[in-house]
Amino acid sequence: MSTDTPTHHLSENDLQQVKRLVLGAFICFLTPKFFDWNYGSYFAVYPMIIMGLVPVLTRHIVRQFLMSGVFNVLVTIIIADVFVDEPVIMIILMLLVNLLCFWLMASGMAFLAGAHSVLAIHAMVQLGSYNTTDLLDLCTSHLVATLLATGSAFLAFVLFPDKTPRSPPPKMTKSYPELIHQVLFSAGIATISFIAFQMFDEKDSLSAQAATLLILFPLRWSGAYAASIDRMFGTLIGSAAAILMQAVLFTWGENITLQTMFYLLGVMIFAAEHIRERRGPARGFCSMTALAIFFGLKSPGSDVFYTAMYRLASVAVAVFITLMLAYLLHRLLLRYWPTSS
């Protein structure tokens, strides 16, 4: 009889991480609702990034998250305010930002900072490029959400620390051609995504835009293909869970207490699945973030069924097109920048 630990087993440290994610989700969901702050999806998603993508909280992690938050605001002001009427310069600057972010991720120097920045900058520049957007409010919300997520992470680690020391992650060993290939591949597709969402005026498809970036986190074509399946399933499950919760709540759907209880239940289930998978932003993480975006953006009187179906359809189309472009760019890079990986 095999004595191997089953893949579905959650260790004591895993349970502590689930508790931390639920506490962070509770604080960062309820705070903007209580103060009636805008951009609730930022507040809902950021604690999942800092406590979901990395299972520890060190000075290096905190520095990455806070510095990337300030960097994101500066870049957004430059691109979406100073050069908003210069599309060519905007594209060049976004390409440079993408190259920097994916180099930080691919090299392993500051993966969290790169991931946080590439997601936040694309969303903020996309929103900030519209005349109807209050750029000051957008940047302020981003900074406050970053600080609140960091503070909730500190509190969560104090209340629910790991029971046993964690082993340090293995160091990355990549050849120079492989590193350059991954950076060019990811930054190229991210820049094409930015151009597409600017051209087609997709202001209300931030979930789809984020999906085109999240599937690039494995930094290679084979990983992007697998991640796209995870993203699709995660979005489907998260959206279905949101619809089910609203159907159960029915006329009490606007009750913030009941909303919070159902939301935290969903976060707990998806956080546990994310940790069981042990492979980064896979189905559990995507389901958790889909649920967070849904509840973060929910406003009184909004059509939750239409919102969920629109988000699912837009994500499916965006991911499919991104995959086709990713495969073409991957083959092109292999021809002119071969790598052994």
Side-chain angles (χ1 to χ4, degrees):
M1 181 180 295
S2 174
T3 58
D4 293 341
T5 302
T7 55
H8 62 270
H9 175 71
L10 289 176
S11 66
E12 287 187 331
N13 279 358
D14 294 336
L15 290 174
Q16 293 296 91
Q17 188 176 359
V18 171
K19 295 174 186 177
R20 292 195 291 264
L21 281 165
V22 171
L23 178 61
F26 172 74
I27 295 173
C28 295
F29 170 73
L30 212 55
T31 302
K33 297 287 185 183
F34 180 79
F35 290 103
D36 195 24
W37 290 340
N38 296 323
Y39 306 102
S41 57
Y42 289 171
F43 291 89
V45 171
Y46 286 178
M48 297 175 182
I49 293 177
I50 191 173
M51 289 184 283
L53 292 182
V54 287
V56 295
L57 191 69
T58 63
R59 290 181 181 179
H60 182 52
I61 295 297
V62 173
R63 281 197 299 265
Q64 286 186 61
F65 201 68
L66 293 179
M67 291 180 67
S68 66
V70 176
F71 174 73
N72 300 341
V73 168
L74 295 176
V75 170
T76 299
I77 292 174
I78 292 173
I79 298 178
D81 188 19
V82 179
F83 295 108
V84 69
D85 296 322
E86 302 290 341
V88 175
I89 298 179
M90 287 179 68
I91 293 171
I92 294 174
L93 290 175
M94 284 300 296
L95 174 60
L96 294 176
V97 168
N98 289 329
L99 288 170
L100 173 61
C101 291
F102 283 107
W103 177 77
L104 291 173
M105 296 169 66
S107 65
M109 181 179 297
F111 185 93
L112 183 64
H116 185 209
S117 290
V118 77
L119 288 171
I121 290 173
H122 274 256
M124 293 171 67
V125 171
Q126 177 71 14
L127 286 174
S129 61
Y130 291 90
N131 294 329
T132 55
T133 300
D134 186 339
L135 195 60
L136 177 61
D137 182 36
L138 174 65
C139 293
T140 302
S141 298
H142 167 72
L143 283 177
V144 174
T146 300
L147 291 171
L148 186 63
T150 306
S152 66
F154 267 117
L155 179 61
F157 272 90
V158 170
L159 296 178
F160 306 112
D162 284 336
K163 298 294 185 179
T164 57
R166 292 180 182 264
S167 302
K171 292 184 178 180
M172 294 184 180
T173 54
K174 297 179 182 178
S175 64
Y176 181 72
E178 182 182 0
L179 177 63
I180 298 300
H181 181 96
Q182 291 182 355
V183 172
L184 292 178
F185 168 76
S186 303
I189 296 301
T191 305
I192 294 173
S193 170
F194 170 75
I195 295 172
F197 280 91
Q198 284 283 300
M199 288 179 58
F200 293 102
D201 196 27
E202 294 294 335
K203 183 180 180 180
D204 297 325
S205 297
L206 293 182
S207 294
Q209 186 180 30
T212 64
L213 300 172
L214 282 169
I215 66 174
L216 299 176
F217 280 17
L219 305 171
R220 52 175 61 87
W221 155 249
S222 59
Y225 176 77
S228 66
I229 298 175
D230 288 332
R231 191 68 201 172
M232 283 301 303
F233 272 96
T235 303
L236 174 62
I237 296 170
S239 299
I243 292 176
L244 179 61
M245 290 175 186
Q246 290 301 307
V248 171
L249 289 173
F250 194 47
T251 56
W252 295 282
E254 305 302 333
N255 186 297
I256 190 63
T257 302
L258 294 176
Q259 266 191 51
T260 304
M261 290 174 57
F262 276 80
Y263 172 63
L264 294 181
L265 176 63
V267 170
M268 180 181 66
I269 295 172
F270 294 142
E273 181 61 24
H274 162 60
I275 295 168
R276 285 192 191 98
E277 291 173 323
R278 304 187 191 282
R279 53 192 182 96
R283 298 184 186 185
F285 185 84
C286 294
S287 301
M288 185 168 58
T289 54
L291 189 69
I293 292 172
F294 179 92
F295 275 91
L297 290 176
K298 187 178 183 303
S299 57
S302 60
D303 189 338
V304 295
F305 298 99
Y306 170 80
T307 302
M309 294 306 297
Y310 175 77
R311 182 172 294 119
L312 180 60
S314 62
V315 167
V317 173
V319 167
F320 178 73
I321 296 174
T322 302
L323 274 182
M324 291 193 299
L325 295 173
Y327 178 75
L328 293 175
L329 181 58
H330 170 70
R331 300 303 302 178
L332 184 66
L333 285 174
L334 284 180
R335 176 176 296 182
Y336 295 102
W337 195 279
T339 172
S340 58
S341 175

